[in-house]
Amino acid sequence: MEILSLSFFVGIIGNVISVLVFLSPIGTFERIIKHKSTEDFQSLPYICTLLNSSLWTYYGITKPGGLLVATVNGFGIFVEAVYVGLFITYAPKKMKLKTGVLVGILNVGFVAAAIVVTQLALESETQIGAIGLMCSGLNIIMYGSPLAAMVPNGIGCLLGTAQLLLYAIYKNAKPSNNTSLQGLMEQKEPLVSHEYV
């Protein structure tokens, strides 16, 4: 019983943190409403979070003892649906269309397909595992995707640093008197014959 109450307590803390994460874009949407424009904001993060919340709610409903997961993500569905609705309301016509298509594909089509496939094709334990795997995979993609912008920059920084180090090491280097290299450079005949034998 003590382990159950500890896991329930930790679950409540996780839910409070999740609610705060769901509410964190409120400032962005206050700005959108105030300016009556989505400006340069993109709808994809809110569409993906709505997808994520939908799948986690389904997981929480399917898994025995998943009440905390279902309730917090049910709240997430509500909040993200409001965000997406506001985005569609204030977005330019082209962005409204793009957002509507993405909502249709991801939040309606993909969620419906996930529910139908897992309900019809899988048994209970396998079903719960498959739903959990989908949810976890989506979490990794969503929360790991900002790293895609950081990694190229990190590699570029390392290569730039290596380039600067090589320059610092060799900036005062004197040309080599290596005659074998000089001989190759002055050779008039090609090293490889282009004639067919």
Side-chain angles (χ1 to χ4, degrees):
M1 187 68 172
E2 189 176 317
I3 293 175
L4 177 63
S5 62
L6 178 62
S7 85
F8 187 77
F9 178 71
V10 171
I12 293 291
I13 292 171
N15 279 9
V16 169
I17 292 168
S18 294
V19 165
L20 293 174
V21 169
F22 288 134
L23 296 176
S24 64
I26 283 180
T28 299
F29 283 92
E30 285 176 343
R31 179 175 165 175
I32 287 172
I33 292 167
K34 181 179 177 184
H35 295 143
K36 298 186 183 325
S37 169
T38 55
E39 299 171 3
D40 289 330
F41 295 111
Q42 297 295 314
S43 60
L44 190 60
Y46 310 105
I47 293 169
C48 289
T49 305
L50 179 56
L51 171 63
N52 194 28
S53 295
S54 299
L55 290 175
W56 277 114
T57 301
Y58 175 49
Y59 175 79
I61 291 169
T62 307
K63 183 176 174 43
L67 177 66
L68 290 176
V69 173
T71 54
V72 75
N73 283 288
F75 175 76
I77 290 171
F78 171 75
V79 171
E80 296 302 325
V82 168
Y83 292 158
V84 170
L86 287 170
F87 198 92
I88 289 172
T89 301
Y90 293 108
K93 191 173 184 175
K94 188 176 178 182
M95 183 61 79
K96 283 181 186 185
L97 181 63
K98 178 182 172 186
T99 300
V101 168
L102 284 172
V103 166
I105 292 170
L106 295 174
N107 300 125
V108 177
F110 186 81
V111 172
I115 291 170
V116 167
V117 167
T118 56
Q119 288 294 318
L120 297 178
L122 303 173
E123 299 292 321
S124 79
E125 285 302 313
T126 308
Q127 181 184 58
I128 293 168
I131 300 165
L133 187 63
M134 270 191 300
C135 293
S136 298
L138 184 59
N139 268 0
I140 291 167
I141 291 168
M142 275 183 54
Y143 297 112
S145 63
L147 294 175
M150 291 170 41
V151 168
N153 291 338
I155 292 170
C157 182
L158 288 173
L159 292 173
T161 302
Q163 193 174 13
L164 289 172
L165 286 172
L166 287 171
Y167 175 77
I169 293 169
Y170 293 108
K171 71 178 178 181
N172 295 325
K174 294 189 169 72
S176 171
N177 289 332
N178 188 342
T179 56
S180 62
L181 181 60
Q182 209 170 21
L184 282 175
M185 300 288 281
E186 294 173 357
Q187 185 174 357
K188 303 248 190 273
E189 294 180 28
L191 291 175
V192 179
S193 174
H194 296 288
E195 295 178 19
Y196 295 103
V197 179

